[in-house]
Structures are given as C-alpha cells and as structure tokens.
Amino acid sequence: MVKSHEGRLPSLQTDRELVLGLIEACHEAIVIHADDLCELDRAIGDGDHGTNMRRGCEAVYLDRERLGSLPLPQAIETIGMTLVMSVGGASGPLYGTLLIEIGRRLGTRDEADFATILGEAIDAVARRGRALAGDKTLLDVLYPVQTEMARQSALINIAKRAEVSARLTAEMKAMRGRASFLGDRSIGHVDPGASSCALLTTAICRYLREYRPA
Ligand code: ADP
Ligand code: MG
C-alpha cells in the first residue's frame, strides 16, 4: 500500500489512485497556467510553450483510464511516450525523455532509490538537449529538485526550491533552444520550460502531501 510521508515519496508500487491523482494534478496545473507559460515564451521564444504543454497534458488526461490500469513504471514510461508524440516543440522530447527514463529504471530496479533514478533521467534529458545546468532551461529546475530529493527534503521544501529555481533562470543567459537566439536579451526573463517544470513539481508535491490511500 502506498503511504504518504512528509519528505518521502510513496513506496513505488502499482497504484491506480496514485497514477490518476498525479495525472489530474499535473493536468490542472498546466491548464490553469497555460496562458502564463505562453506569455513567458512570447518574451524569449515563439509563444507556444503553454499550448504545447496543455496539448500534451490533455492527451495524457484523455488516456488516464488505461494509464491507471498499468503498473506505475509502465504508466510513467507510457506518459513519456505520449508527451513525445503530442507536446511538439523542444520541450516534448525532453519531458518525454525524462519520464521514459524514469519509468524504465523504476521497472528494472528492485530497491528503487527515486532520487538516483531521477538524477540519471535528468542526465539523459541533458544529453538529449545537449544542455548543461545554467543554460536557462528546464534543467535548472530539475537538478535542484533532484538535489532536494537526494537530501530527503520535505515535499513542501522541494516545491519551494523548484519555484525559486525557476525564478532564478531570469538571471541566466539562454544557451539552448530558441531563447539562445536572443543572446544577452534573454536575460531578465524567466525560462518558460523552467516555469512549467516548477508548476508540475509543485502540483506533484502538493498532491503527494495530501495523498491518503483508501
Ligand atoms: P519550442 O522552443 O520548440 O517552441 P517549447 O516552447 O515548448 O518549445 O519549449 C521551450 C522550452 O524548452 C524552453 O523554455 C527550455 O526550458 C526548453 N528547452 C529548449 N531547448 C532545450 C534544450 N536544448 N535543452 C533543454 N531544454 C530546452
Ligand atoms: Mg516555444
């Protein structure tokens, strides 16, 4: 049975309620903030990040009954593949890679240390995007989140770190993706991918804090 503990992930077992709850929480966060994400992307990209993410989350949401019937690792991997196919833009393959790599690793390790798995999955995203920490991308939220998880920080602190990290991307110069075409003019704007990543992290942490298995 999955249990909710402050500062820890639930034990990673098949749990329809958990999969459905996480899908709904992420879908809601992106739908509510899609316009804000587009606005951030209008400043340093092409204005479609919220639309892209909403399209991906809607595709996952529509498939939630099937996803809820899968073991958790397979559900995560399948969500990743859906995001690759539906999000479009640079962010689709990157979020997709993250979830595919997490799902595959969760499925093949008995003693799943989620922070280590997340770290390896983030490294795969970095390789895929040829990006590094500090390049003003979603990696600048993912790496700090992984650090907090490795420290077994409370969920509320993981969420806070994600939000602060997204805001800090405003100080960075974009080195990857469309925003990099702006060079120094990208400084002063929050990265849209970092922002969506913080929104999703916060939604997941909030859901896990409130989660009480039946
Ligand atoms: P596109 O840039 O193709 O319009 P989106 O607007 O959906 O795609 O996503 C833009 C976000 O994707 C950026 O804000 C950034 O966080 C992320 N991103 C773009 N290129 C890369 C990359 N090479 N590596 C990591 N993240 C990237
Ligand atoms: Mg864009």
Side-chain angles (χ1 to χ4, degrees), residues 37 40-41 44-53 55 87-95 125-126 128-132 135-140 175-179 190-197:
L37 294 172
L40 290 177
D41 199 28
I44 56 170
D46 57 356
D48 63 355
H49 187 59
T51 314
N52 290 343
M53 293 299 289
R55 190 167 51 245
V87 172
S91 54
L94 298 170
Y95 273 115
V125 175
R128 171 109 200 199
R130 296 194 187 85
L132 301 169
D135 282 354
K136 195 182 181 94
T137 71
L138 40 81
L139 291 173
D140 294 307
M175 303 302 288
R176 289 286 171 229
R178 285 179 201 279
V190 169
D191 177 64
S195 179
S196 63
C197 199

Side-chain angles (χ1 to χ4, degrees), residues 9-197:
L9 272 188
S11 61
L12 295 162
Q13 299 169 357
T14 304
D15 194 313
R16 176 182 166 77
E17 196 189 343
L18 179 62
V19 170
L20 291 179
L22 289 171
I23 288 173
E24 278 166 24
C26 291
H27 176 261
E28 186 186 19
I30 292 299
V31 168
I32 289 174
H33 294 285
D35 290 345
D36 304 332
L37 294 172
C38 284
E39 198 178 319
L40 290 177
D41 199 28
R42 269 196 294 278
I44 56 170
D46 57 356
D48 63 355
H49 187 59
T51 314
N52 290 343
M53 293 299 289
R54 185 172 54 207
R55 190 167 51 245
C57 286
E58 269 163 7
V60 171
Y61 188 76
L62 288 175
D63 199 21
R64 66 192 181 285
E65 280 306 314
R66 183 176 73 97
L67 291 164
S69 70
L70 298 175
L72 184 64
Q74 254 173 277
I76 293 174
E77 186 178 348
T78 309
I79 291 170
M81 293 191 286
T82 302
L83 293 180
V84 170
M85 287 184 294
S86 61
V87 172
S91 54
L94 298 170
Y95 273 115
T97 298
L98 182 73
L99 295 185
I100 290 168
E101 296 289 330
I102 291 172
R104 284 188 186 154
R105 284 173 167 75
L106 278 180
T108 54
R109 292 205 197 149
D110 292 339
E111 290 295 316
D113 166 6
F114 190 79
T116 303
I117 287 175
L118 179 63
E120 292 170 6
I122 297 169
D123 287 341
V125 175
R127 282 196 299 276
R128 171 109 200 199
R130 296 194 187 85
L132 301 169
D135 282 354
K136 195 182 181 94
T137 71
L138 40 81
L139 291 173
D140 294 307
V141 169
L142 289 174
Y143 279 125
V145 163
Q146 195 277 338
T147 301
E148 294 301 328
M149 291 200 61
R151 284 183 193 149
Q152 304 199 339
S153 299
L155 290 165
I156 186 119
N157 292 331
I158 297 174
K160 278 188 195 150
R161 181 80 190 270
E163 283 163 17
V164 169
S165 301
R167 283 200 292 275
L168 285 174
T169 63
E171 297 168 13
M172 298 173 186
K173 175 176 167 178
M175 303 302 288
R176 289 286 171 229
R178 285 179 201 279
S180 66
F181 305 153
L182 294 181
D184 285 341
R185 282 184 293 134
S186 67
I187 298 171
H189 302 278
V190 169
D191 177 64
S195 179
S196 63
C197 199

